[in-house]
Amino acid sequence: MFVAGNSSLCLAKVSVEILQDIYVLPVAELATTKTHPEVIRIENDFVEMTLIPNRGRVLSSYVLKGKEPVSVIYQNLVPGPMVLPGGLHVVEFGGYYLSLPWNDRDRQPFDLSFALTREEESLVEVFLSGKDMFKKTLTECWVRVRDDSPVVEVEVKITNLSKREARSFPFKDFVVLDVRRNCYLSLPVKSVKLVASRGDWAGQPGQVLGWPAMFASWDNMKDYLHFETENSPLLPCVAAMYPDERVAFVKWWEPAEFFPALSAWSWGQSWAVEPGAGAYIVVSGLRDNFHLEPQEQVSFKVYFVAFEGVSQDVSCQELFDQARSLLR
């Protein structure tokens, strides 16, 4: 049985509040970057979430209220610097974000502007936008939360601003899963391919492993790990299960073919001794060749939902079906 949170709170509406007194580490050296940016908090009977447009976070947190609050998206507002394998310095605020508009120097999304476009008891909608000055694109997002559902809907439109030049580049999105307790990663694939693991603890780079692999469980993810799906996912979704709370978190997208591949990386259990690291798994949708003709616009939607009453042996197909049934 699945339960979509605790409706006994009786808020009977969705509410939004803009907070401006929370310090968030400034990373980008941009005039628009604020030390105390607007943090948009949205909640209804089922969930509470935040957005931080000034850090490019389309979502910064997502907490299922339920019997006990369960955070499923990792958030760190004052992250320490870390060095990724290969020598790149970066920080991880967590959340959900896109690779457009992207600041290559700071390896972060650029700041986004925002407007509260709908504020009703039945629906809150926040509009986010930002231009990528290097790729000459415009990214627009509409984040929608309704009063009677734990689902967050994110509609994304990307426009090639050039009137003459077509553009092609890789495109990714990122959801940073909170795994500070036991977590099990559910992917709709039959096999994955290792990109890297520290000391080759999970196998040799390029090795293909059947899924679910041993490291699908956070408890078994010994050290740094990076892997990709070998083939296109069988379903347009990824899921994380938290067996101690019997909670599942599902991300899915449409059209189904928009992301033809998935990747994931994590510090694994070594995070506690890795400077600047955290207990998280970063899962991305991948599109190696995102092509836009002059002034072409491409849109897709991403949905997020968490719900209770989940057994660990539930299939990815069952999670996907239940998640979509909660879309209203």
Side-chain angles (χ1 to χ4, degrees):
M1 177 181 178
F2 299 91
V3 183
N6 182 0
S7 60
S8 64
L9 297 173
C10 298
L11 294 178
K13 64 179 181 179
V14 58
S15 61
V16 60
E17 183 179 9
I18 298 177
L19 309 174
Q20 295 181 275
D21 58 352
I22 298 174
Y23 175 81
V24 183
L25 179 74
V27 178
E29 297 176 357
L30 302 171
T32 55
T33 301
K34 305 173 183 178
T35 57
H36 293 73
E38 294 88 348
V39 176
I40 305 169
R41 183 169 64 199
I42 305 172
E43 66 176 311
N44 61 18
D45 284 7
F46 308 107
V47 294
E48 178 181 324
M49 68 212 66
T50 57
L51 295 67
I52 308 183
N54 196 248
R55 295 297 183 273
R57 264 52 190 183
V58 179
L59 287 180
S60 178
S61 66
Y62 180 111
V63 177
L64 179 69
K65 293 179 176 180
K67 297 175 182 177
E68 296 290 339
V70 178
S71 170
V72 293
I73 289 183
Y74 177 87
Q75 181 190 64
N76 186 352
L77 301 183
V78 190
M82 59 185 176
V83 182
L84 295 174
L88 294 175
H89 288 76
V90 70
V91 299
E92 182 55 78
F93 290 103
Y96 173 72
Y97 51 100
L98 307 171
S99 65
L100 282 175
W102 191 256
N103 185 339
D104 287 318
R105 177 175 176 177
D106 297 309
R107 288 171 287 280
Q108 295 287 321
F110 276 116
D111 301 347
L112 300 172
S113 61
F114 79 94
L116 184 57
T117 46
R118 293 187 69 174
E119 184 180 0
E120 304 165 7
E121 289 193 353
S122 61
L123 173 66
V124 165
E125 179 184 80
V126 181
F127 172 70
L128 312 172
S129 65
K131 293 181 180 180
D132 191 305
M133 63 189 74
F134 303 107
K135 296 184 177 68
K136 309 299 182 184
T137 58
L138 170 66
T139 299
E140 299 170 283
C141 301
W142 292 261
V143 180
R144 303 183 182 104
V145 182
R146 302 183 186 278
D147 62 331
D148 59 352
S149 173
V151 177
V152 180
E153 174 187 315
V154 180
E155 181 178 355
V156 182
K157 181 170 70 176
I158 300 173
T159 304
N160 180 0
L161 296 175
S162 174
K163 296 180 179 180
R164 298 180 179 180
E165 295 184 20
R167 306 197 182 278
S168 295
F169 40 78
F171 178 74
K172 300 174 69 174
D173 72 351
F174 308 81
V175 60
V176 187
L177 300 174
D178 190 333
V179 292
R180 282 174 280 194
R181 58 207 174 281
N182 187 26
C183 177
Y184 184 85
L185 189 61
S186 181
L187 302 178
V189 298
K190 294 182 178 179
S191 58
V192 297
K193 181 172 64 176
L194 288 175
V195 177
S197 62
R198 182 145 49 194
D200 294 337
W201 71 268
Q204 296 292 322
Q207 183 175 348
V208 175
L209 301 172
W211 189 265
M214 169 266 296
F215 48 75
S217 172
W218 167 250
D219 288 348
N220 295 332
M221 197 175 288
K222 298 178 183 178
D223 208 324
Y224 173 81
L225 174 72
H226 181 192
F227 64 90
E228 297 180 355
T229 54
E230 185 189 16
N231 299 301
S232 296
L234 301 173
L235 300 167
C237 73
V238 298
M241 291 182 288
Y242 300 89
D244 294 345
E245 293 87 357
R246 301 191 67 202
V247 164
F249 177 58
V250 183
K251 169 203 167 189
W252 77 99
W253 59 91
E254 54 185 34
E257 64 274 12
F258 187 84
F259 288 119
L262 304 170
S263 74
W265 77 269
S266 177
W267 292 109
Q269 299 297 326
S270 71
W271 74 270
V273 296
E274 188 75 32
Y280 50 74
I281 302 173
V282 183
V283 182
S284 295
L286 301 177
R287 187 164 173 162
D288 287 337
N289 185 25
F290 186 30
H291 183 80
L292 292 170
E293 291 294 323
Q295 295 196 299
E296 182 181 6
Q297 298 179 333
V298 173
S299 297
F300 65 99
K301 287 185 178 181
V302 183
Y303 302 92
F304 302 91
V305 67
F307 44 85
E308 297 179 298
V310 183
S311 61
Q312 187 167 342
D313 60 354
V314 68
S315 70
C316 200
Q317 179 72 63
E318 290 174 299
L319 291 171
F320 180 50
D321 291 344
Q322 180 62 25
R324 288 189 301 169
S325 76
L326 297 172
L327 183 63
R328 300 190 174 112

